[in-house]
Amino acid sequence: MSEILRVEGLRVAYGGKNVVRGVNFSVKRGEILIIAGESGSGKSTILKSIGGLLNRGGKIVNGQIFFDGREITFLSDKKRRKLSGEAIGMIFQNAGASFCPIRTIGDQIFESVRAHRDWDEKFFLKRAFELMSKINLEFSVLNEYPFRISGGMAQRAGILAATILEPKLLLADEPTSALDVVNQAEVVKELLKLRERQKISIVMVTHNLKIAKFMADKILIMKNGLQVEFGTREQIFSSPKEIYTQELLKAAYL
Ligand SMILES: Nc1ncnc2c1ncn2[C@@H]1O[C@H](COP(=O)(O)OP(=O)(O)O)[C@@H](O)[C@H]1O
Ligand SMILES: [Mg+2]
């Protein structure tokens, strides 16, 4: 299996304060990496560094990020836009909020697709419907405004937008954390099916270790900007080396 993502010695600072302090991991094609650990430990900052979305003031101060064999640590805006809409998809905790409120979901996804592909509307709808039927998203959602759909539907619309161009990597920051348990379980299963179908690699942040146990091939445990442990699901859940990991598992009754 070939490697899709490698992060080496990543350090990230906000205004001179290091919040990610030396992180190393790699993800192969089709693998799911879960990043877990307490609030403020740097999980979102790692995802944003990979996705080129560090907020103003955030800066990579050391380390390298390789995607599909190419270094992407510092890319020009143009190259980044191409990569981010196409080969790397992203989904966040509240996907509804990342859509513009006054335009339909379908119009917005079609527009973002058109920035990368010369698809006409008919072809776009064909591809969208194929994917929507796989992720339990009613076709009528394309004609809806973001504020008129439920949180579960909004997350699925976010997944549709992030994966319609079949990216090689999906970055997902707590995509199920704002959902009720039924929708959580369904979205997790839909992400697993998507991985199966598209052979997509997923790097997902969650603080839910039960979800981590269900989904992960590999797990990265973070605490206070430091990498506590990185290993396979079996290793982390059956023989965690670090006391902090053992405590997290105990707190989650695992
Ligand atoms: N835009 C920002 N400006 C300043 N500090 C930030 C910013 N974003 C995050 N931080 C700080 O960086 C640390 C890591 O944050 P984050 O990566 O969001 O953690 P997590 O996702 O694990 O909860 C926290 O201490 C947080 O307060
Ligand atoms: Mg976060």
Side-chain angles (χ1 to χ4, degrees):
M1 242 196 319
S2 62
E3 191 176 82
I4 198 77
L5 179 71
R6 184 153 45 94
V7 171
E8 286 184 359
L10 181 69
R11 286 174 173 268
V12 186
Y14 283 107
K17 182 177 174 248
N18 286 349
V19 299
V20 170
R21 299 181 285 155
V23 165
N24 299 281
F25 62 84
S26 64
V27 181
K28 288 179 184 158
R29 185 146 308 187
E31 266 188 346
I32 297 180
L33 168 72
I34 297 282
I35 307 180
E38 65 200 25
S39 269
S41 58
K43 304 182 299 293
S44 296
T45 303
I46 295 171
L47 279 202
K48 287 177 187 165
S49 304
I50 301 164
L53 286 181
L54 281 176
N55 305 334
R56 249 182 313 147
K59 193 166 175 286
I60 295 174
V61 290
N62 226 320
Q64 288 175 297
I65 302 170
F66 297 91
F67 170 71
D68 208 12
R70 256 190 336 136
E71 185 174 359
I72 60 157
T73 323
F74 303 104
L75 285 183
S76 67
D77 287 353
K78 196 171 159 216
K79 284 192 177 148
R80 176 55 79 176
R81 271 197 300 276
K82 185 162 164 48
L83 188 70
S84 295
E86 225 175 319
I88 301 181
M90 284 180 251
I91 159 118
F92 305 95
Q93 182 165 342
N94 185 356
S98 38
F99 287 106
C100 164
I102 58 163
R103 295 175 58 214
T104 64
I105 303 266
D107 279 356
Q108 294 181 57
I109 299 180
F110 185 45
E111 184 186 272
S112 63
V113 162
R114 293 275 300 170
H116 299 277
R117 295 277 194 287
D118 195 18
W119 294 359
D120 61 19
E121 193 173 353
K122 196 171 154 216
F123 189 73
F124 163 72
L125 288 174
K126 181 174 169 281
R127 297 297 290 266
F129 289 167
E130 276 167 18
L131 185 50
M132 290 171 91
S133 63
K134 301 286 189 303
I135 58 173
N136 268 322
L137 186 57
E138 294 147 36
F139 299 160
S140 61
V141 162
L142 292 179
N143 293 320
E144 283 292 0
Y145 292 89
F147 62 88
R148 298 205 3 159
I149 63 175
S150 70
M153 287 300 131
Q155 287 312 86
R156 290 176 175 88
I159 293 171
L160 170 69
T163 58
I164 189 164
L165 294 180
E166 308 208 340
K168 290 181 176 163
L169 175 66
L170 179 67
L171 303 174
D173 196 350
E174 311 227 25
T176 63
S177 300
L179 300 177
D180 59 80
V181 284
V182 173
N183 271 295
Q184 261 184 25
E186 285 174 1
V187 167
V188 163
K189 281 190 206 134
E190 287 149 17
L191 287 171
L192 285 170
K193 273 197 264 171
L194 205 63
R195 182 267 293 266
E196 220 34 65
R197 243 165 48 85
Q198 295 191 0
K199 287 286 165 270
I200 195 171
S201 310
I202 301 176
V203 177
M204 176 167 143
V205 169
T206 180
H207 54 254
N208 185 329
L209 288 174
K210 293 201 168 76
I211 290 180
K213 191 170 184 186
F214 190 68
M215 284 183 80
D217 298 303
K218 289 174 172 169
I219 298 176
L220 172 67
I221 305 282
M222 292 292 299
K223 185 188 184 191
N224 194 19
L226 293 170
Q227 172 168 345
V228 174
E229 198 161 351
F230 169 60
T232 62
R233 172 178 51 187
E234 289 67 34
Q235 190 252 304
I236 297 286
F237 282 97
S238 333
S239 51
K241 291 195 195 101
E242 301 297 325
I243 289 169
Y244 181 69
T245 310
Q246 294 163 8
E247 284 170 354
L248 276 184
L249 296 181
K250 208 166 137 197
Y253 300 102
L254 286 167

